[in-house]
Amino acid sequence: MRPKTPERLRLATLVTIGVCATVIVTMLTLLVLIDHFAATYAKQQAQERLQQLSWQMRDSMDRGMSRMIDHAQVIAELAPVRDGQNPAEIRRVFDSVNKNFPNYAWIGLTDIEGKVVAASRGLLEGVDVSQRPWFKGGEKQIFVGDYHPALLLEDKLPETEDRWRFVDVALPVTHSDGHYRGVLGIHLSWSWARGLVNSLLIPADRQYLVEVLVVRNDGVVMLGPDYLEESTIATTSLDLARTGSTGAVAEKWPDGRRYLTGYALTGTQARPGHPTLKWAILIRQPEEIALADFRDLQQQVLWVGGAIGVLLALIAVALARQLARPLDELSAAITQRKEGTAATIPVIDGYHEVHLLSRTLADMVGREQQHIGKLRTLNENLENLVRERTQEIEQKAQALEDALQQQLVIQDRLQESEAELRATLQNANDAFISMDQDGIIVDWNEQAEHLLGWTHNEAVGQSLAELVVPPAMREGYGKDFQHFLQTGQSNIINRRVELTALRRDGVEFPIELAVGCVARRKGYLFIAFLHDITERKLMQASLMGMALKDPLTDLPNRRALIQKLPESIARGARLGKPVAVLFLDLDGFKGVNDGYGHEAGDELLRTIAQRMIGAVRTTDTVARLAGDEFVVVLEMLNGDQDAMEVADKILQTLQQPFALSAATVSISASIGIAMHWPEDATTPEQLITLADGAMYAAKKQGKNRAVAV
């Protein structure tokens, strides 16, 4: 007797339950999503409006402060304010400004000691304000004073509904001749800020309880609801505003209510040269008022969504029963065949899926016996295949063992080659360094130890840039290294270059560097050879110095002059100063040379060179062209007369007798002067030619004189 099969739910019931559950879950999910996104959208819209209001208030206050600074600068430039001596005249100017700008509660001018000379409506005239912050801050530059109560003016200004509070602007005032006169101070009434709020908020904003708060850097409320003014607050929006960011946030305030608050910070976009004040602008609105329209929409969505969900569930039940009926017929036939009867699988002419399923099941039953016979044949073939594959695996295993033996032989040879290469690098004449693609040293030979001062153990594992590259070159080295890793191009790698290296003792010295690169499976290996070229550099510098010096007088020669003169002309053009070239030729030198010999002539030239150096400034240049011709380059002159005075000084110096080893001689000189002004287009060669021509003119006029062109 067969065991009784437990009763299971029918397909129609399962489909009905599943479809209904799906419809309900889908509707609930849609309702939740709609509710969530609607709430998010409503909250976002409210926050964006509050944020825009905070931006508008911030920009209005920034513009107001900027205009006040501009007005103060204009007032300070007025002629009566700068140079007027009559207080009444200055007071009339201040009263006129006060009339046009009623928010300026007080305008005054002090002397250099801090005493008020003149003020609007005559308030505080003669009072010492030297200890007031606005006076001290405005002595040197434009000063902006933060929100503060009235001290000296509290009892002098007209009574108002609100207490007098000011924001100050002060700046130094100078006479027309540039002398310091005193400080101009302006007190901006805080009613200006209240006026901005009234112009910012439309009646609809006030109806929905939108409030504007202006908070000082220390948290004191300068403008806002009456019960908060002059008190200190600490909110998330205030902290965010202090960072300079703008936005809106939902938060709980100290009164226990939740608000949506837009925030911004003044003074973040000030013009250059304008001081600013960092005030937090907070625009808040009760959260329940800001989201009131959303709450009404939320209830309507819930009612409509619930009704639609019930209707869709009923439609789903009817549809599920209709779809499951053909499957019930097919299920009954399968159950009969399972119980051992010879029932056939019916082909049901329902919807396409059921028709296809029933026909497929019927075909499967017909092919079942055919498959069983084929499986037996496949099993026999599989056993034969396994035997063949086993023999192949044994043959491949033997081949693999032979290959491993050959690999071991190759590895031994590679180790021997590596040892030979390492011995060669260790005994190389140049320093050898290898590093990986991260710039970390991998190897370091004995020559590198001698050259750079670090032992092998100390260097390996360290960064090459930190160990060898001078600090001033590390940034460029790092950029070039990264550029090579990204593009394969470099100014150093795969080249032979001359650079500066850093020894362990901190001494920098020149090297010749050759860097090679070897690509590996993971990254690169860099190989560098370093060679000390200090002696070569010293030799080059010595040869360069000899090439630019006259061997007899030790003065700069013609080549040095050709290099020096363009630099002097460029400096003169940059500084707006003229440059003078003096071309000097000795009068009577040939007689000394012929009468006393070339040694006496050489001694005379050396003495003349020293006298000429002593007759000019250290910033000027004395050069010997050839024979008895000299050139002097004068810089930082004020005009032609300066050059002529230097020429006269040189002539007087050369007129003094020269005590030589062979005899005491006297000579003179002829000097030609050519001036180069900053606006001139004369080249250095043309300038020397002009000076040479002027020198010949001096000789024609009787020698021992200077002539300028």
Side-chain angles (χ1 to χ4, degrees):
M1 182 178 181
R2 289 186 177 182
K4 187 176 181 181
T5 303
E7 190 70 21
R8 292 183 175 85
L9 293 176
R10 298 182 64 81
L11 176 61
T13 303
L14 293 174
V15 171
T16 300
I17 294 173
V19 172
C20 291
T22 301
V23 170
I24 294 172
V25 171
T26 302
M27 289 305 302
L28 290 177
T29 302
L30 289 174
L31 290 175
V32 171
L33 289 175
I34 292 172
D35 180 75
H36 170 73
F37 287 113
T40 302
Y41 178 76
K43 190 172 183 179
Q44 182 180 358
Q45 291 296 309
Q47 288 179 337
E48 287 181 357
R49 186 174 182 280
L50 295 176
Q51 181 180 354
Q52 291 175 355
L53 288 174
S54 70
W55 290 347
Q56 296 173 12
M57 185 64 183
R58 175 201 64 190
D59 294 342
S60 297
M61 299 195 80
D62 282 343
R63 286 194 298 270
M65 289 303 299
S66 181
R67 283 197 297 269
M68 182 178 176
I69 293 173
D70 292 339
H71 290 168
Q73 292 176 322
V74 172
I75 295 170
E77 293 295 327
L78 294 176
V81 178
R82 300 184 70 181
D83 300 316
Q85 300 300 322
N86 187 354
E89 181 183 1
I90 302 174
R91 187 184 312 114
R92 282 195 297 271
V93 173
F94 292 164
D95 289 340
S96 176
V97 174
N98 191 236
K99 182 179 179 181
N100 293 323
F101 300 97
N103 285 327
Y104 293 174
W106 181 83
I107 307 174
L109 175 67
T110 73
D111 58 16
I112 60 177
E113 301 297 333
K115 184 177 179 180
V116 179
V117 176
S120 58
R121 299 193 294 273
L123 299 178
L124 298 184
E125 287 186 357
V127 176
D128 184 2
V129 295
S130 60
Q131 300 303 315
R132 299 300 300 150
W134 63 267
F135 175 80
K136 294 180 178 180
E139 286 185 294
K140 301 295 184 182
Q141 58 188 0
I142 298 177
F143 168 80
V144 177
D146 209 340
Y147 169 90
H148 65 87
L151 296 180
L152 300 178
L153 292 170
E154 180 70 33
D155 300 330
K156 300 181 183 298
L157 293 172
E159 293 185 1
T160 61
E161 296 180 0
D162 298 324
R163 292 166 295 180
W164 284 103
R165 295 292 185 268
F166 299 138
V167 174
D168 302 330
V169 171
L171 72 162
V173 179
T174 59
H175 289 289
S176 298
D177 58 6
H179 288 86
Y180 174 60
R181 174 168 190 173
V183 176
L184 174 69
I186 299 178
H187 291 343
L188 177 64
S189 171
W190 195 240
S191 60
W192 157 73
R194 300 187 188 280
L196 291 179
V197 174
N198 292 333
S199 63
L200 180 68
L201 296 181
I202 61 177
D205 293 328
R206 297 188 181 92
Q207 178 182 355
Y208 288 104
L209 301 181
V210 175
E211 297 173 328
V212 179
L213 288 85
V214 181
V215 186
R216 204 164 57 192
N217 194 41
D218 56 1
V220 174
V221 178
M222 300 185 293
L223 182 65
D226 294 340
Y227 70 94
L228 283 179
E229 286 192 2
E230 304 291 341
S231 63
T232 302
I233 64 171
T235 64
T236 302
S237 58
L238 178 58
D239 294 337
L240 293 172
R242 285 170 176 166
T243 64
S245 60
T246 62
V249 65
E251 60 182 353
K252 186 175 182 181
W253 279 64
D255 60 2
R257 298 182 66 182
R258 290 190 60 81
Y259 292 86
L260 298 182
T261 308
Y263 56 87
L265 185 69
T266 66
T268 58
Q269 300 176 350
R271 289 185 296 172
H274 279 204
T276 61
L277 294 173
K278 304 294 185 179
W279 293 332
I281 307 299
L282 306 181
I283 311 294
R284 72 176 191 177
Q285 184 181 24
E287 190 175 42
E288 65 273 11
I289 295 177
L291 301 181
D293 293 339
F294 161 71
R295 302 302 180 192
D296 297 338
L297 176 63
Q298 186 182 42
Q299 293 181 0
Q300 296 176 8
V301 170
L302 289 175
W303 282 108
V304 173
I308 293 175
V310 172
L311 177 61
L312 291 178
L314 294 176
I315 295 174
V317 170
L319 182 61
R321 292 186 180 278
Q322 183 65 28
L323 293 175
R325 184 176 295 107
L327 293 175
D328 290 339
E329 297 178 7
L330 187 59
S331 176
I334 294 173
T335 302
Q336 294 176 3
R337 184 172 181 81
K338 183 178 179 181
E339 291 176 351
T341 62
T344 59
I345 302 299
V347 177
I348 301 173
D349 292 329
Y351 48 88
H352 174 72
E353 287 78 4
V354 172
H355 174 73
L356 180 61
L357 177 61
S358 61
R359 189 177 63 185
T360 301
L361 288 175
D363 293 340
M364 288 176 60
V365 171
R367 291 194 300 270
E368 181 180 3
Q369 295 300 324
Q370 298 176 7
H371 290 331
I372 292 174
K374 291 180 180 180
L375 285 174
R376 292 194 183 97
T377 303
L378 288 174
N379 186 46
E380 294 175 357
N381 294 335
L382 181 59
E383 291 178 355
N384 294 330
L385 183 61
V386 167
R387 284 193 296 269
E388 294 175 359
R389 290 293 182 266
T390 301
Q391 293 176 357
E392 292 179 2
I393 290 173
E394 290 176 353
Q395 294 174 357
K396 291 181 178 180
Q398 182 62 41
L400 178 61
E401 183 177 356
D402 296 340
L404 288 175
Q405 292 296 329
Q406 186 177 2
Q407 184 68 26
L408 291 175
V409 173
I410 295 173
Q411 185 174 355
D412 291 340
R413 293 177 180 174
L414 288 175
Q415 290 176 350
E416 292 174 357
S417 299
E418 181 181 0
E420 293 174 358
L421 178 59
R422 185 173 298 278
T424 301
L425 293 176
Q426 286 296 329
N427 293 282
N429 292 328
D430 290 342
F432 164 75
I433 302 173
S434 65
M435 60 180 178
D436 60 18
Q437 69 175 17
D438 296 324
I440 303 302
I441 296 172
V442 177
D443 202 357
W444 182 279
N445 70 353
E446 292 183 4
Q447 190 61 30
E449 294 180 352
H450 299 323
L451 182 64
L452 300 171
W454 301 91
T455 66
H456 177 272
N457 293 335
E458 291 172 336
V460 172
Q462 300 295 322
S463 170
L464 181 69
E466 298 294 333
L467 218 61
V468 178
V469 179
M473 300 173 58
R474 288 173 186 169
E475 182 178 356
Y477 163 81
K479 291 181 179 179
D480 186 81
F481 195 73
Q482 292 300 321
H483 182 70
F484 175 80
L485 294 177
Q486 296 171 2
T487 65
Q489 299 178 353
S490 170
N491 295 325
I492 298 175
I493 298 172
N494 294 326
R495 299 171 182 264
R496 183 177 295 274
V497 295
E498 293 183 1
L499 297 174
T500 301
L502 179 68
R503 276 204 296 263
R504 182 172 186 169
D505 56 6
V507 176
E508 298 182 8
F509 64 99
I511 61 169
E512 184 179 70
L513 174 67
V515 182
C517 176
V518 178
R520 300 193 297 186
R521 287 181 300 173
K522 294 184 179 180
Y524 296 94
L525 177 68
F526 297 94
I527 298 172
F529 288 92
L530 290 70
H531 182 70
D532 188 352
I533 58 173
T534 303
E535 294 183 0
R536 184 202 302 173
K537 289 292 184 181
L538 293 175
M539 179 64 71
Q540 292 175 352
S542 176
L543 293 175
M544 182 61 69
M546 293 172 61
L548 299 177
K549 287 289 185 180
D550 176 51
L552 177 62
T553 62
D554 203 33
L555 293 177
N557 58 13
R558 177 182 291 273
R559 178 181 296 178
L561 176 65
I562 296 303
Q563 294 181 4
K564 176 72 175 180
L565 186 54
E567 298 174 1
S568 300
I569 292 174
R571 272 195 299 274
R574 189 166 57 251
L575 300 175
K577 297 286 187 178
V579 175
V581 174
L582 280 60
F583 198 106
L584 184 147
D585 186 83
L586 299 178
D587 301 328
F589 174 74
K590 187 175 185 302
V592 175
N593 210 28
D594 294 342
Y596 299 101
H598 291 291
E599 292 184 359
D602 292 344
E603 183 181 0
L604 177 60
L605 290 175
R606 286 193 293 270
T607 307
I608 289 173
Q610 295 304 315
R611 287 192 184 183
M612 291 181 65
I613 291 174
V616 299
R617 301 166 299 179
T618 56
T619 56
D620 300 328
T621 301
V622 179
R624 181 189 177 205
L625 290 188
D628 58 349
E629 294 179 341
F630 296 85
V631 171
V632 181
V633 180
L634 304 179
E635 300 185 41
M636 300 300 293
L637 303 178
N638 294 319
D640 300 354
Q641 188 60 34
D642 290 351
M644 186 61 72
E645 290 177 359
V646 175
D648 291 340
K649 184 177 179 181
I650 293 174
L651 291 174
Q652 294 173 7
T653 301
L654 297 181
Q655 288 174 0
Q656 301 299 321
F658 292 87
L660 305 179
S661 300
T664 299
V665 298
S666 296
I667 63 170
S668 62
S670 298
I671 300 178
I673 304 174
M675 298 294 297
H676 184 281
W677 297 88
E679 62 272 12
D680 291 347
T682 310
T683 65
E685 293 77 8
Q686 293 172 342
L687 198 60
I688 294 174
T689 301
L690 290 174
D692 188 16
M695 182 271 295
Y696 280 108
K699 284 187 177 294
K700 290 181 180 179
Q701 295 178 18
K703 303 181 180 180
N704 193 26
R705 66 188 66 237
V707 173
V709 294

